[in-house]
Amino acid sequence: MATSDPQQVSDLTTDELVQLVRGGNTDYYEEIVNRYQRETLRIVSFALYDRSQTEDIVQQVFVNAFVHLADFELGRDFGAWLRTIARNAAREHLRNSARYDRRLKAYGDLMSHRWADDERAVEFDESLRRALQDCLQRLPDKAAQAVRLRYHEGLDYAALAARMNSSAGALRNLLSRVRVRLRECIERGMARQGD
């Protein structure tokens, strides 16, 4: 930070901090995060009940707030503005999770039906494995590395971001796109194998 006296930084109002950050002194954003992190964590954790997902969402809330800091009206309640961003991020996550859960249930029902016959189940599993391997080999290097680290090594998004020198949000978006791409590729591969 431009000032070395922690007392001076803590004496600044949030509006003053926002103006400093907007002026290019981005180190002051750390003080904003420190002031509002506990409240933001409380709001998101109340909605999600999952510590690791909560931490990821809180991190994304502060990234979103930083990106849209120019939209904040000085003189307004920064905490209220940030709480709105947090609630919107939690709602979006819950909507996405609900869609994912519905798709997962539909997939589970399909698999239960297919696995009713052991021979067909083994044949289907092998076809699916071949299609997945083929599709994984077609991924660009960065996407393949992200898949390997997240799904084979089990890294959470924070560890994945550190390992790949990227942000957790960017990697979450990348993996979301990769999952769609893999699903489409697998469906095409399974259709070809069925021909």
Side-chain angles (χ1 to χ4, degrees), residues 13-44:
T13 67
T14 301
D15 279 356
E16 291 170 327
L17 290 169
V18 167
Q19 287 176 311
L20 286 165
V21 174
R22 285 178 177 172
N25 297 305
T26 57
D27 289 343
Y28 284 99
Y29 195 67
E30 180 181 351
E31 176 64 19
I32 294 173
V33 171
N34 290 337
R35 289 182 185 185
Y36 294 95
Q37 188 168 24
R38 180 173 289 148
E39 182 180 6
T40 304
L41 186 62
R42 182 182 53 78
I43 289 168
V44 175

Side-chain angles (χ1 to χ4, degrees), residues 160-174:
L160 183 63
R163 180 83 71 87
M164 294 189 67
N165 197 25
S166 185
S167 72
L171 290 169
R172 188 178 291 109
N173 291 337
L174 170 68

Side-chain angles (χ1 to χ4, degrees), residues 173-191:
N173 291 337
L174 170 68
L175 285 170
S176 178
R177 290 190 308 272
V178 167
R179 285 190 301 268
V180 169
R181 183 175 175 180
L182 284 173
R183 184 184 73 236
E184 292 169 352
C185 179
I186 288 168
E187 287 170 355
R188 285 191 306 271
M190 296 293 284

Side-chain angles (χ1 to χ4, degrees), residues 96-107:
N96 290 339
S97 294
R99 283 193 295 267
Y100 177 75
D101 289 346
R102 284 191 302 273
R103 286 193 303 262
L104 192 59
K105 182 186 178 326
Y107 180 74

Side-chain angles (χ1 to χ4, degrees), residues 88-132:
N88 288 340
R91 271 196 299 269
E92 180 65 22
H93 175 78
L94 290 171
R95 273 195 301 270
N96 290 339
S97 294
R99 283 193 295 267
Y100 177 75
D101 289 346
R102 284 191 302 273
R103 286 193 303 262
L104 192 59
K105 182 186 178 326
Y107 180 74
D109 292 346
L110 174 66
M111 292 299 98
S112 293
H113 174 72
R114 287 190 174 164
W115 289 342
D117 177 354
D118 282 341
E119 186 176 319
R120 276 182 42 210
V122 169
E123 183 179 307
F124 178 77
D125 285 347
E126 183 56 29
S127 295
L128 185 60
R129 188 193 62 73
R130 283 193 308 266
L132 177 59

